[in-house]
Amino acid sequence: MAQQFLYIRKTVLAVLLVMVSTILWAQQSQDTQAGRPDRQNTRQRSQDQQAAPQDDQRSPQESQANPQDRQGNRPWRNRANSASLFADSASAISAEYMLHIEAVYQKFDSIRAETKLGPEIIKAGEDLKETDTVIHFVERNLSLYDQTLNLRNLEMLKILLENVQRDLRGYNEDFKGRYEELETLRTKMRTFRRDTLLRQLFRDTVARKQFLPQLAGLRSRRRTTDSLLRSSLTTINRYKTQASAASIKSAQLMSQLENQLSTAGARVFSKEMNYLWESPGHMPMKGETIGKLFADDERALNLYFATSSENRFIRWIIGIAFFWWVMRNLRILKREDKLDTLKQYDITFLTLQPFASAFTVIFSIAPLIDLHAPVAYAQFVQFLLVISLTFLFRKQWPRSMFYPWIGVIALFLAFSFTSHLLVPSIFQRLVIIAMNVAGAFVAFLFLKNLPDKIQLRRFIRLVLVLQIGLHFLAIIFNLAGRITLSQMLGATSIFAVTQVMGLSALMEILIEAVLLQIHTSRTSNRLDAPFDHNQIVYNFRKPLLWVVVIMWLIVFTSNLNIYDNLFTRISDFLNEPRFIGSTSFTFGSILLFFVIIWLAHFLQRYVGYLLGDIGDDDGEGLAHRSKLLVTRLIVLSAGYLLAISASGLPVDKVTIVLGALGVGIGLGLQNIVNNFVSGIILIFDRPLKVGDSVEVGSHSGRVKEIGLRSSTLVTNDGADVIIPNGDVLSQQIVNWTLGNTFRRIDFTVTLLTTEDKDSVIAIIKEVIKSTKHVLHKRDPIVLVDGVKDSDITLKIYFWCDDVLKAEIVKSDVRYQLHREFKVKGIATK
């Protein structure tokens, strides 16, 4: 019994163990099927989705009728249908995740591309270093000039600071704009952290496993973009800080500089050193070696070169264009073998030294373009001008004139060197006094040997007298301890002479260039007759004289460091608004108006010189005068429109004035308007042109000029007949040269002979063909006009190739026939 009872107990325990294991296994299997589907179930969901995508797309009526079915709580729905439903929903969410991740990728790429700093920002950041260099240079020189005075360099420092402040304003605007753009991008980056779909994806452990590679790449892309954005913001903030600091420093330096310039007028006349006969005493500044001073000048030159490239570009373009213009004309004359004809017009500079002439033009106008250049730069350009002038004068001047010029060059170099000595020693002051004495002596030699034919002769004499006076003043101020004023007057005096000699040569070169252009154009138009160049020189010399005198005054006042003050005062006076009733105006606008009008009239008057038209009566080769009239009309119209625009006159008021003029024109100026319109018709319709041989009404002659109101004919007797343009168009016009220059000539010959008619006609034709200016492509015609018992009258017709020489050809043919008949023994009546 005991054994049986033990066996039963073991069996029951085994059955209970099996039942518990079965229950646990079933529970685990149910949990796996309900919450964690295996890969086979996943594949099954995909297959079910492809096979029956419509299972999860129930109609709204079905959803409303079966809410339990919508919630997935219907107990009678089998396990397979339930798995298929959840599988379709997961697939739809996965596609949405994928599209969203792709969109986020694209946004990150866009932000990363926009985050990169452009080349203009990088360049602006690099330029800040150069700006800091300029500021440090200005600061050091201001501390140097605070103890002594150099007005020209102070003006240069002011220009450098103004350029720096202008650049800094541009840099600050660029940095501010770029910083705001980066802040906008950073705001976009922050929005990704609040993206609800991405947050849902990270919470969904099942879907997250499906997109692990994409999420890893997205996380890397975000870190890279965020790092680049922080780097760009850091760089922009650093640039903004540097630009702000530079702006503050430059403003402080500008205030200090303007303070020094405002007190410069009083300081320049103050006593800087002891009298020359007193002990030197305490030096007013720290010791500065010559090498250090020249190093500062070199730095100033480098800074100026870096900020003024456009000025040099303009100057060299002008010089190259002038040189090309001159060489082109010289090549044309050389091709025509007419270079020797230039001697009659005294053209020497351009023919002997074309390169030196071009350089003289370049360096003569340089001070106008570089008014606020450093002293060293202005001296260097002036030295190049002196070298160019030396090449020009070497073969033109006698030795009595050229040797003093060599002395001027030596003094120029000496004054250029001593102008950099801020605090000269006693010995250096004595040397400067000796240089001023030598300068006065050289100026006296120039006065004695100045050539009579040199341009600006009287003005040069005035400048030489001024030079002598400035040298003596420089000596007096040197003795009195006014070193800055003494150096300024001495250097200005010698520079004034070199500048006026350069302007004299410039004036001569420009006049020669105009004469060369006129002669070349006339040669190209086959006008070989010489022209009177004295009147042309006189016409051009008057305006050029005003221009070169103004140029010299600008350079002279710049060397005296008073140009800016004078310019400011004159500019304020001219630009100050004035009122007449409610109408405002300025003297500057009125002056500008008349200057432009004068310039337009000057150009339209002498634009014909470029084509060789000097207004003479020779009509050969001057058929372009009609085109010149159109050009003059355009120049005048453009000049008046530009003058009105530049003067600031209101356009509406000008329109009212023109309307009033229109009423007056309609009432009382009909004939003038008729002639004006007729002139325009003559210009564009061209029934006749300048140089044509015409007959208008009872007048005949050659067209000399076609104006806007009237035209001028030159008769064979030399009289000028002025015909209103309205009368020209209202009458019949006989134009002998409109289509060609041919003209038929006819005359009669009566022969007292019994010889054969055909032989006589052959003789006549042979004589006609051998005569000059007879048109050979049209044979002469000889007809019998009358026959009597004792004589035969012949009518002779032939063509002349130039209507202007018709009478000359007719006379030559008559004379040659008379000689030939006499030789042949043919009597004529």
Side-chain angles (χ1 to χ4, degrees):
M1 286 295 290
Q3 293 180 351
Q4 292 179 352
F5 178 77
L6 181 61
Y7 175 77
I8 292 172
R9 189 178 63 180
K10 291 181 179 180
T11 303
V12 171
L13 291 175
V15 171
L16 290 174
L17 182 61
V18 170
M19 290 177 65
V20 171
S21 301
T22 302
I23 291 172
L24 292 176
W25 178 83
Q27 182 67 31
Q28 183 178 4
S29 176
Q30 183 178 1
D31 293 340
T32 303
Q33 292 177 358
R36 295 184 296 274
D38 55 9
R39 295 180 181 177
Q40 183 177 0
N41 291 333
T42 303
R43 289 194 297 270
Q44 182 65 34
R45 287 198 304 270
S46 177
Q47 294 173 1
D48 292 341
Q49 182 184 4
Q50 296 176 0
Q54 70 276 10
D55 290 345
D56 63 332
Q57 299 178 356
R58 293 175 294 169
S59 64
Q61 292 79 5
E62 293 176 346
S63 300
Q64 294 175 1
N66 302 300
Q68 293 180 350
D69 184 26
R70 184 173 65 249
Q71 297 174 0
N73 295 326
R74 294 181 61 180
W76 57 83
R77 191 170 180 87
N78 57 36
R79 186 181 300 272
N81 290 336
S82 179
S84 176
L85 175 64
F86 284 104
D88 292 343
S89 300
S91 178
I93 294 174
S94 299
E96 185 179 358
Y97 283 153
M98 195 64 196
L99 290 175
H100 191 67
I101 290 174
E102 182 179 358
V104 174
Y105 262 97
Q106 293 177 355
K107 291 180 180 179
F108 275 137
D109 291 340
S110 176
I111 292 175
R112 185 170 60 177
E114 295 178 12
T115 299
K116 294 180 180 179
L117 298 179
E120 66 281 356
I121 298 295
I122 300 299
K123 184 178 184 302
E126 294 296 328
D127 291 342
L128 282 176
K129 299 178 181 178
E130 185 66 26
T131 300
D132 291 337
T133 302
V134 176
I135 291 176
H136 291 315
F137 174 77
V138 172
E139 183 178 16
R140 182 188 180 282
N141 281 270
L142 275 181
S143 63
L144 179 66
Y145 299 140
D146 188 47
Q147 304 172 57
T148 184
L149 191 61
N150 193 318
L151 292 177
R152 183 66 179 266
N153 281 342
L154 286 177
E155 293 290 348
M156 182 269 298
L157 294 179
K158 183 179 179 181
I159 297 300
L160 289 177
L161 271 184
E162 290 176 349
N163 294 335
V164 165
Q165 290 180 335
R166 181 195 62 205
D167 294 340
L168 286 174
R169 285 192 294 267
Y171 297 156
N172 283 322
E173 292 178 0
D174 294 340
F175 295 154
K176 180 181 178 181
R178 190 58 179 145
Y179 180 79
E180 292 175 353
E181 294 174 359
L182 292 177
E183 280 293 328
T184 303
L185 295 177
R186 185 160 66 174
T187 303
K188 290 182 179 180
M189 288 289 297
R190 290 171 179 171
T191 59
F192 292 127
R193 299 179 181 178
R194 298 187 296 269
D195 193 307
T196 56
L197 194 58
L198 288 179
R199 293 165 67 93
Q200 180 181 350
L201 177 60
F202 279 102
R203 287 195 299 267
D204 192 342
T205 57
V206 177
R208 186 176 60 194
K209 289 181 179 180
Q210 186 178 357
F211 296 102
L212 284 178
Q214 290 83 0
L215 293 176
L218 193 64
R219 184 180 295 107
S220 176
R221 191 67 56 90
R222 182 189 65 81
R223 291 175 178 174
T224 303
T225 305
D226 190 61
S227 176
L228 181 59
L229 180 59
R230 287 197 304 270
S231 176
S232 297
L233 282 170
T234 302
T235 303
I236 286 293
N237 284 324
R238 185 176 74 253
Y239 288 164
K240 288 179 62 179
T241 302
Q242 293 177 0
S244 299
S247 298
I248 295 172
K249 188 64 177 178
S250 62
Q252 295 174 350
L253 292 176
M254 180 62 75
S255 177
Q256 181 181 353
L257 180 59
E258 290 179 348
N259 182 52
Q260 289 198 26
L261 287 173
S262 63
T263 60
R267 293 177 59 193
V268 75
F269 288 97
S270 62
K271 184 179 179 182
E272 300 169 295
M273 300 181 67
N274 291 337
Y275 296 121
L276 188 62
W277 54 85
E278 294 179 345
S279 59
H282 178 67
M283 287 294 182
M285 64 168 290
K286 299 178 182 179
E288 292 285 341
T289 63
I290 298 297
K292 191 65 176 296
L293 293 174
F294 279 100
D296 289 340
D297 287 336
E298 183 180 0
R299 176 63 62 85
L301 285 174
N302 293 333
L303 294 176
Y304 185 77
F305 277 122
T307 58
S308 62
S309 57
E310 65 278 0
N311 294 342
R312 295 190 301 276
F313 177 77
I314 293 173
R315 188 170 66 242
W316 284 102
I317 285 295
I318 294 174
I320 292 173
F322 178 82
F323 180 74
W324 174 85
W325 177 37
V326 171
M327 295 305 297
R328 172 184 172 274
N329 290 332
L330 291 177
R331 283 196 300 268
I332 292 175
L333 292 177
K334 184 177 181 180
R335 185 172 63 246
E336 298 290 337
D337 197 19
K338 296 291 182 64
L339 279 177
D340 294 339
T341 58
L342 294 175
K343 295 180 180 179
Q344 59 186 329
Y345 306 117
D346 297 328
I347 301 176
T348 55
F349 283 166
L350 297 181
T351 55
L352 298 178
Q353 296 289 345
F355 286 98
S357 299
F359 282 118
T360 301
V361 172
I362 293 173
F363 299 127
S364 294
I365 64 176
L368 295 181
I369 301 176
D370 302 299
L371 277 175
H372 298 96
V375 176
Y377 179 81
Q379 292 172 350
F380 177 71
V381 172
Q382 196 78 0
F383 177 72
L384 295 177
L385 173 63
V386 169
I387 297 300
S388 302
L389 294 176
T390 303
F391 279 97
L392 287 177
F393 299 154
R394 184 167 55 92
K395 295 183 179 180
Q396 302 292 326
W397 283 359
R399 296 198 175 192
S400 59
M401 187 70 182
F402 190 73
Y403 286 154
W405 175 251
I406 299 298
V408 170
I409 297 176
L411 289 172
F412 173 83
L413 295 176
F415 276 103
S416 298
F417 177 79
T418 56
S419 63
H420 296 275
L421 300 176
L422 299 180
V423 182
S425 62
I426 294 181
F427 175 75
Q428 292 169 344
R429 290 172 65 180
L430 292 174
V431 172
I432 293 174
I433 290 175
M435 290 164 48
N436 281 285
V437 173
F441 177 72
V442 169
F444 177 75
L445 292 179
F446 255 101
L447 280 174
K448 288 183 59 178
N449 300 285
L450 198 63
D452 294 333
K453 294 184 178 181
I454 193 172
Q455 294 289 344
L456 303 176
R457 187 175 188 275
R458 286 187 294 181
F459 186 64
I460 293 175
R461 292 178 63 88
L462 178 63
V463 172
L464 291 173
V465 173
L466 179 63
Q467 179 191 4
I468 295 174
L470 291 178
H471 280 306
F472 278 109
L473 287 176
I475 294 173
I476 294 173
F477 285 122
N478 193 337
L479 294 173
R482 275 69 173 174
I483 300 301
T484 299
L485 189 57
S486 174
Q487 290 177 330
M488 184 173 60
L489 293 178
T492 300
S493 63
I494 199 68
F495 294 163
V497 174
T498 57
Q499 185 66 26
V500 75
M501 297 306 299
L503 292 175
S504 173
L506 175 66
M507 188 172 178
E508 180 67 29
I509 290 169
L510 293 179
I511 291 176
E512 288 187 3
V514 173
L515 295 177
L516 176 62
Q517 175 64 38
I518 294 173
H519 184 61
T520 304
S521 298
R522 291 174 66 87
T523 301
S524 300
N525 292 326
R526 300 296 184 265
L527 295 175
D528 298 329
F531 60 92
D532 184 13
H533 67 285
N534 294 321
Q535 185 64 34
I536 298 173
V537 172
Y538 176 78
N539 293 335
F540 269 91
R541 189 177 182 277
K542 291 176 64 178
L544 283 178
L545 178 62
W546 284 101
V547 172
V548 298
V549 169
I550 292 174
M551 290 173 62
W552 183 87
L553 288 175
I554 291 175
V555 176
F556 181 73
T557 53
S558 297
N559 291 329
L560 289 177
N561 301 297
I562 60 175
Y563 170 77
D564 288 327
N565 190 21
L566 289 175
F567 179 80
T568 301
R569 292 177 180 271
I570 296 174
S571 179
D572 292 341
F573 173 76
L574 293 177
N575 295 325
E576 182 180 356
R578 320 279 176 170
F579 294 92
I580 298 180
S582 60
T583 304
S584 64
F585 67 96
T586 61
F587 288 142
S589 61
I590 296 176
L591 179 62
L592 184 61
F593 175 83
F594 285 107
V595 168
I596 295 177
I597 293 298
W598 174 85
L599 185 61
H601 278 273
F602 178 81
L603 291 178
Q604 69 87 21
R605 182 178 180 184
Y606 298 114
V607 69
Y609 285 3
L610 298 177
L611 299 177
D613 184 6
I614 59 174
D616 57 357
D617 294 337
D618 195 347
E620 298 183 26
L622 296 182
H624 55 263
R625 283 187 178 176
S626 298
K627 298 179 182 179
L628 280 178
L629 184 58
V630 177
T631 304
R632 287 166 177 161
L633 180 62
I634 293 174
V635 170
L636 279 179
S637 301
Y640 275 91
L641 291 176
L642 182 61
I644 293 174
S645 176
S647 64
L649 294 176
V651 179
D652 54 349
K653 296 182 180 180
V654 176
T655 306
I656 294 174
V657 174
L658 292 178
L661 287 177
V663 175
I665 288 172
L667 295 176
L669 303 178
Q670 296 180 8
N671 290 333
I672 295 177
V673 174
N674 178 32
N675 293 327
F676 179 78
V677 175
S678 299
I680 296 177
I681 294 174
L682 288 175
I683 292 171
F684 289 99
D685 190 42
R686 303 188 69 185
L688 49 85
K689 58 182 180 294
V690 176
D692 284 350
S693 181
V694 299
E695 296 178 6
V696 180
S698 59
H699 303 288
S700 63
R702 179 174 52 83
V703 180
K704 177 182 179 182
E705 183 180 1
I706 301 176
L708 292 177
R709 191 193 66 83
S710 62
S711 299
T712 304
L713 299 183
V714 180
T715 65
N716 294 330
D717 297 330
D720 289 344
V721 180
I722 300 174
I723 306 175
N725 290 329
D727 295 342
V728 174
L729 286 182
S730 63
Q731 302 181 64
Q732 292 183 351
I733 302 175
V734 179
N735 193 336
W736 292 96
T737 56
L738 180 62
N740 54 65
T741 59
F742 309 151
R743 181 168 181 174
R744 197 179 74 163
I745 302 174
D746 64 272
F747 61 89
T748 59
V749 175
T750 301
L751 303 178
L752 300 175
T753 180
T754 58
E755 294 189 12
D756 184 30
K757 173 179 70 68
D758 294 335
S759 61
V760 174
I761 292 176
I763 293 172
I764 293 174
K765 289 184 177 181
E766 183 179 355
V767 171
I768 292 175
K769 290 180 179 181
S770 63
T771 304
K772 190 178 180 181
H773 293 298
V774 171
L775 186 64
H776 297 289
K777 66 179 182 180
R778 296 187 181 183
D779 292 332
I781 298 175
V782 181
L783 302 176
V784 177
D785 190 49
V787 178
K788 294 182 180 180
D789 295 338
S790 60
D791 55 59
I792 299 176
T793 302
L794 300 178
K795 191 74 172 182
I796 302 172
Y797 300 93
F798 64 95
W799 288 85
C800 174
D801 61 5
D802 191 347
V803 65
L804 299 177
K805 294 181 173 60
E807 295 298 327
I808 298 176
V809 174
K810 183 177 181 180
S811 174
D812 289 343
V813 170
R814 281 181 174 274
Y815 179 71
Q816 294 298 331
L817 284 177
H818 171 73
R819 292 184 58 186
E820 189 67 21
F821 287 163
K822 189 175 182 180
V823 172
K824 299 293 184 179
I826 302 173
T828 59
K829 185 176 179 181

